[in-house]
Amino acid sequence: MPNAPRSQPPPGVARAMDASLNRAAEGARVVEDYARFVLDDAGLSRRAKELRHGVAAAGAALPIAARLAVRDTPGDVGTTITTPSEASRASAWDVCLASLGRLQESLRSLEEFGKMLDPATGARFELLRYDAYTLASALGAAGRSAERLGGARLYVLVGCRASEADFASLVESITGAGADVVQLRDKRADDRTLVQRARRLAAICRERGAVSVVNDRADIALAAGADGVHVGQEELSVADARRVVGAGRLVGVSTHSLDQARAAIAAGADYLGVGPTFPSKTKAFDAFPGLDFVRQVAAETSLPAFAIGGVDPRNVDQVVAAGLCRVAVGLAVTDAANPAAAVAELKSRLTAPVGADDQAS
């Protein structure tokens, strides 16, 4: 019967699977080391490790004794075939990217040849390949975020204000005082006003070296030339927001639990809003994950994460002590008698090194 499962593949197929299993495990190990030691990211390290162990578990369908019996490294015609690109890596990310490619290609080979053992083996490698794609997306987001937001500590939310002149004056004042990211958030303004303010925000932030973000409205962020969009749990998904704003802009996500934070990271979010940390005057919540959630996120990821919700100069030290040195504020700055002074005070308190502790093992 031509389609009957084989208990032992032909020697050539066994050699191909042996080589691909080795390449996949090696690629996954390099990716894990990148996440663990370069990014210092516990969550991504754990996911890479789980993928590596998944490859080993699926590979058990071809026992190691059978693999070793057909292994012939000296006689492998491919060992002498090289390309110039294999000898050069310009950065740690290039190393990771090459290993991700090796991992994904090997999983595809294992998926196809694994079908000769039985359909379930092929299906297991297919799922692992999809996991590798998802991990690659999250690692790419981590790299983008480190480049764009690596030094960002203070994120300020502003409304449209009474006039464009008033709005521009506020944004110029707070970016001049050190606000790293400014988000336009106004639920009551009409679309034309939002576009007008978002364009002005983007222009000022470009001039001052700050990052401009539009809340919820990916279309307005794109039209205005802003640096990114921020979405909540009930707004556009990361993937849908990315389809609108494109690969070159940031997509941030509000998260209220560790599961939501992990989902946002897996979806390729560039940064997280973490909260509510304390009771807030601008938004009502039924529950407050509080500082415990801040601690969880700080231990989980190196992705830029901003504690939000009721943060002000009186409690910002508690956020820093919990492990996050990035905060997002609204009224603490915009309702202050001197918004620039409020920015300066908050920035002076966010002085600990940015980044999560290494929790991987």
Side-chain angles (χ1 to χ4, degrees):
M1 295 176 61
N3 295 324
R6 295 176 180 268
S7 57
Q8 180 68 35
V13 172
R15 288 182 66 199
M17 292 189 69
D18 176 52
S20 290
L21 282 166
N22 290 334
R23 284 196 302 267
E26 292 159 4
R29 169 59 81 177
V30 174
V31 171
E32 181 183 342
D33 285 348
Y34 174 83
R36 179 178 178 178
F37 298 113
V38 178
L39 293 183
D40 198 26
D41 192 297
L44 292 176
S45 300
R46 182 183 62 252
R47 290 176 58 191
K49 184 174 184 177
E50 290 170 350
L51 182 55
R52 179 167 55 84
H53 283 274
V55 170
L62 183 64
I64 186 62
R67 293 170 55 189
L68 293 175
V70 298
R71 189 176 294 176
D72 180 18
T73 303
D76 184 351
V77 298
T79 59
T80 59
I81 302 173
T82 61
T83 61
S85 63
E86 293 179 87
S88 176
R89 299 286 185 265
S91 66
W93 172 239
D94 285 344
V95 172
C96 181
L97 204 57
S99 292
L100 281 168
R102 188 176 302 116
L103 170 63
Q104 293 162 0
E105 291 163 2
S106 298
L107 288 172
R108 183 66 197 218
S109 182
L110 287 164
E111 176 188 340
E112 295 301 324
F113 284 119
K115 295 172 184 175
M116 297 182 66
L117 296 179
D118 63 79
T121 297
R124 289 184 73 180
F125 284 118
E126 180 183 22
L127 291 176
L128 287 166
R129 179 164 56 86
Y130 294 150
D131 288 344
Y133 293 156
T134 301
L135 178 59
S137 175
L139 286 164
R144 284 194 310 271
S145 302
E147 181 179 349
R148 301 285 297 280
L149 296 170
R153 286 173 168 79
L154 184 61
Y155 186 130
V156 181
L157 288 72
V158 301
C160 285
R161 314 293 281 188
S163 68
E164 184 177 352
D166 186 19
F167 174 82
S169 177
L170 174 64
V171 174
E172 287 170 353
S173 173
I174 62 176
T175 53
D180 303 297
V181 185
V182 183
Q183 180 192 126
L184 173 61
R185 182 182 186 276
D186 197 313
K187 299 291 188 179
R188 295 174 295 181
D190 60 75
D191 285 4
R192 288 194 178 187
T193 300
L194 285 172
V195 171
Q196 180 188 56
R197 299 293 195 273
R199 284 193 176 125
R200 195 67 182 271
L201 171 67
I204 295 170
C205 286
R206 276 194 298 272
E207 196 175 284
R208 301 297 181 89
V211 174
S212 58
V213 175
V214 175
N215 185 63
D216 291 349
R217 299 291 300 273
D219 56 337
I220 288 177
L222 180 64
D227 294 311
V229 63
H230 185 90
V231 296
Q233 291 296 313
E234 297 173 357
E235 280 77 49
L236 290 176
S237 67
V238 173
D240 287 336
R242 188 82 68 198
R243 289 187 184 98
V244 178
V245 300
R249 288 183 169 84
L250 300 169
V251 177
V253 180
S254 294
T255 62
H256 316 301
S257 70
L258 189 57
D259 285 344
Q260 289 180 358
R262 287 174 173 169
I265 294 166
D270 294 297
Y271 72 88
L272 306 176
V274 177
T277 308
F278 305 106
S280 170
K281 296 179 181 178
T282 58
K283 196 169 185 180
F285 287 91
D286 295 328
F288 290 89
L291 291 170
D292 285 342
F293 181 34
V294 170
R295 294 185 189 95
Q296 289 175 333
V297 171
E300 175 75 14
T301 183
S302 64
L303 198 73
F306 297 84
I308 188 170
V311 179
D312 60 33
R314 296 168 299 176
N315 56 34
V316 67
D317 292 340
Q318 296 178 52
V319 176
V320 173
L324 287 186
C325 300
R326 309 178 198 264
V327 301
V329 301
L331 298 182
V333 166
T334 60
D335 271 15
N338 186 334
V343 165
E345 180 180 1
L346 285 164
K347 282 292 291 281
S348 71
R349 310 278 277 279
L350 299 169
T351 55
V354 173
D357 291 336
D358 182 12
Q359 300 293 318
S361 61

